[in-house]
Amino acid sequence: MKNIWRIFAKDIKGLVKNPFAMIIALGLCVIPSLYAWFNIYSNWDPYANTSNIKIAVVSEDEGYTLSDGTTENMGNEVVEELKENTKIGWVFLEDSDAALEGVRNGDYYAAVIISDSFTYSMYNAFSDDFENPALIYYQNQKSNAIATKITDTVAGTLQNTINETF
């Protein structure tokens, strides 16, 4: 153990006598730490700024007239709920062609289109001609690899929210 301390003391004296070697030794100690700190800080909360991710939403839902004469439109209800959600940059459009063109052009990372028979399918779940209420989801996979993961999560969460709500 004495030998180890003697070698260590000799190395420290050598570093003190040679300032250039001291700077290099300190740099070798500090630079990896700085790299780790900045890397951890940049990845600390990747979902903090998702409000800049533009997702187009179009409701083509025609609604459904109930037996008592009232008209329901669940597609519009979904759109109203999304307008309250500021975690994603929702862009509400009237035309599905404009939404798809925006996805192709890179204006939007994804598009969610609520089908025209959405409300009808919800109210006629037990009929013989039942078809699943459809949310059609398009994404631009070329625009950003991370945004694709986030928009996949958004689409899944939206589907789960609709299932729980209605």
Side-chain angles (χ1 to χ4, degrees), residues 77 91 143:
E77 290 179 31
V91 178
S143 61

Side-chain angles (χ1 to χ4, degrees), residues 106-161:
D107 298 333
Y108 312 117
Y109 289 101
V112 176
I113 300 173
I114 300 171
S115 70
D116 56 353
S117 61
F118 187 76
T119 304
Y120 176 81
S121 297
M122 291 290 230
Y123 275 101
N124 293 302
F126 297 112
S127 68
D128 293 334
D129 63 337
F130 173 73
E131 59 183 70
N132 283 330
L135 285 179
I136 305 164
Y137 171 67
Y138 299 95
Q139 68 180 350
N140 184 347
Q141 295 180 343
K142 295 179 231 171
S143 61
N144 185 326
I146 307 255
T148 302
K149 300 285 186 195
I150 293 172
T151 57
D152 284 342
T153 304
V154 167
T157 304
L158 180 60
Q159 185 67 44
N160 290 339
T161 302

Side-chain angles (χ1 to χ4, degrees), residues 11-74:
D11 288 343
I12 295 296
K13 287 178 187 176
L15 284 175
V16 171
K17 289 180 183 177
N18 189 348
F20 185 70
M22 176 70 92
I23 291 171
I24 290 176
L26 288 174
L28 288 173
C29 293
V30 172
I31 289 175
S33 299
L34 288 175
Y35 173 77
W37 291 332
F38 287 120
N39 193 20
I40 291 168
Y41 179 73
S42 67
N43 293 307
W44 192 260
D45 187 9
Y47 298 104
N49 295 319
T50 56
S51 61
N52 296 330
I53 296 177
K54 302 291 183 208
I55 299 178
V57 178
V58 177
S59 176
E60 295 181 336
D61 191 10
E62 296 172 355
Y64 180 67
T65 304
L66 301 172
S67 58
D68 64 356
T70 59
T71 302
E72 290 288 328
N73 192 323
M74 292 184 178

